[in-house]
Amino acid sequence: MMTNNPFNPDHPGYYHLCSDGDLTPLFIDNDDDYRVAFNLIGACAANCDVVVLSFSIEDTHPHSLLYGTKPACTAFKLMYEDSWAHHVGRTRGTRKDAELDLEILYIDSEEYLLSVGTYSIVQPTKDGKQVMPYDYRWGTGSMYFRCKEHQSIWCRADSGEILKPAHVGDMSVHEQRVILNTYRRVPGHWKICNGILLPENYVDVAHFERIYRTANRYRVFLASNRSRDQIVKEKLAMARGVSLDDAEARSKCHSLMQASYGFKDVRRLTPPQRVRLAQHLWKQFHLNKRQLATLVRLPYAEICKYI
């Protein structure tokens, strides 16, 4: 299941879309925020060449397991951040403590892949929500290794009544935007029920199940232990990098440029040279990506494609 060439950004692979919950303490403020954050996963999936395998929405951050190329997964990340920022700005008037800064982490081993798949599902329960993953409304834990007669939790009203989904194409553009909270379109044959863009439209359940092969193996990893969780947490911490004092970071950048190119003005470098400079700074000093973008004068999105 794993890819063979993680250094080729155009080669598809598995990626963990995630963030540090401490950075967005007010990500979710009410039930409508949950619905918007949930539906935006589907809206972004419809507009990016990315396969969504699993996800969950927590109070402070989302988690998702994606399959695709690095540029495609980066486009998904940026689209989600942008769409969420528009929602927060429109509904709250300020983006303070609610704007997302997601990471796209390449998954380089089967053990890491198996851990991320269940980590992205079980976290709400582990973080204290009194509900099992297969009953959690704002995640995809209810979708895997289920019998054919299983009824979607998103098509069940609070009263227990089973609701009938509607096709997106049967709704007006205004109705679609009210539910999806974005101007981006999704396929007309996709289904919506109870205000939810159904994950069955875009989550590749069969692909996810192939990763674990059997229900019992999935069950074992779902009961993730501390060592498996630590793998995921260490990768996130490593991706975040360190933030040096701006003057010190600039000094290291100038020293590396002088040694490599014979001058210190980054504006004289071509875009490919700036990418290589960022990669060297990352490798030697592990500076965080936003600081790298500033130092080499490249958009943050471009840094994310190559670091």
Side-chain angles (χ1 to χ4, degrees):
M1 297 295 295
M2 297 304 300
T3 57
N4 297 317
N5 187 6
F7 303 106
N8 182 351
D10 295 321
H11 193 95
Y14 294 99
Y15 291 88
H16 183 194
L17 176 71
C18 56
S19 70
D20 184 344
D22 291 338
L23 300 179
T24 49
L26 298 180
F27 171 49
I28 298 296
D29 188 50
N30 51 50
D31 283 346
D32 190 55
D33 281 349
Y34 273 116
R35 180 185 61 80
V36 172
F38 191 91
N39 287 347
L40 283 177
I41 295 283
C44 293
N47 289 276
C48 297
D49 190 17
V50 166
V51 177
V52 178
L53 299 176
S54 64
F55 71 90
S56 64
I57 306 297
E58 294 192 70
D59 296 353
T60 58
H61 58 292
H63 280 286
S64 186
L65 175 60
L66 307 176
Y67 181 77
T69 64
K70 181 69 179 293
C73 290
T74 299
F76 184 101
K77 159 192 143 53
L78 295 173
M79 186 179 296
Y80 192 88
E81 289 174 336
D82 180 65
S83 299
W84 180 254
H86 280 291
H87 164 69
V88 171
R90 180 179 61 80
T91 58
R92 304 186 199 178
T94 177
R95 300 177 183 181
K96 182 176 173 58
D97 295 329
E99 199 162 14
L100 287 171
D101 184 10
L102 299 172
E103 294 287 348
I104 288 286
L105 309 185
Y106 177 74
I107 297 175
D108 57 3
S109 71
E110 185 178 25
E111 181 77 9
Y112 185 22
L113 174 61
L114 292 165
S115 298
V116 168
T118 49
Y119 187 94
S120 65
I121 290 169
V122 78
Q123 277 308 106
T125 297
K126 296 190 70 172
D127 285 348
K129 287 185 170 56
Q130 297 301 305
V131 61
M132 295 300 290
Y134 44 76
D135 284 327
Y136 184 58
R137 182 177 178 82
W138 307 116
T140 59
S142 65
M143 303 182 75
Y144 314 108
F145 296 101
R146 306 307 295 259
C147 62
K148 293 181 179 179
E149 296 76 19
H150 172 69
Q151 180 63 52
S152 168
I153 64 173
W154 301 288
C155 294
R156 190 183 305 128
D158 293 339
S159 63
E161 177 188 2
I162 302 302
L163 305 175
K164 183 179 180 180
H167 286 97
V168 172
D170 293 334
M171 300 177 173
S172 69
V173 172
H174 175 71
E175 288 173 326
Q176 293 177 38
R177 287 185 178 177
V178 168
I179 292 176
L180 301 179
N181 246 267
T182 177
Y183 65 88
R184 294 182 172 88
R185 306 296 295 273
V186 303
H189 67 275
W190 280 18
K191 296 178 181 179
I192 287 175
C193 191
N194 211 15
I196 299 296
L197 182 63
L198 298 178
E200 66 190 50
N201 295 310
Y202 57 88
V203 173
D204 193 336
V205 173
H207 189 151
F208 182 92
E209 291 179 347
R210 286 196 300 271
I211 292 173
Y212 293 90
R213 297 199 287 272
T214 68
N216 191 48
R217 195 173 188 223
Y218 173 63
R219 176 191 61 82
V220 170
F221 274 85
L222 199 60
S224 58
N225 56 35
R226 183 175 298 179
S227 63
R228 292 192 191 116
D229 285 355
Q230 195 61 27
I231 293 174
V232 179
K233 292 176 180 178
E234 286 178 356
K235 293 285 188 178
L236 177 56
M238 186 180 300
R240 279 286 163 191
V242 297
S243 182
L244 295 181
D245 172 83
D246 287 345
E248 184 178 1
R250 192 161 47 249
S251 174
K252 293 183 181 300
C253 180
H254 288 168
S255 295
L256 186 57
M257 285 184 61
Q258 184 67 45
S260 301
Y261 302 105
F263 54 82
K264 299 179 180 180
D265 187 355
V266 72
R267 292 171 295 186
R268 296 173 59 184
L269 297 179
T270 65
Q273 289 174 325
R274 296 184 192 194
V275 169
R276 287 194 291 272
L277 175 61
Q279 290 172 331
H280 287 312
L281 287 168
W282 169 263
K283 184 175 181 180
Q284 291 188 30
F285 308 111
H286 208 64
L287 301 179
N288 71 55
K289 294 175 187 177
R290 292 203 179 276
Q291 201 162 34
L292 288 173
T294 300
L295 288 171
V296 303
R297 293 176 179 261
L298 283 176
Y300 176 68
E302 289 300 307
I303 294 295
C304 289
K305 289 180 183 178
Y306 300 103
I307 300 296

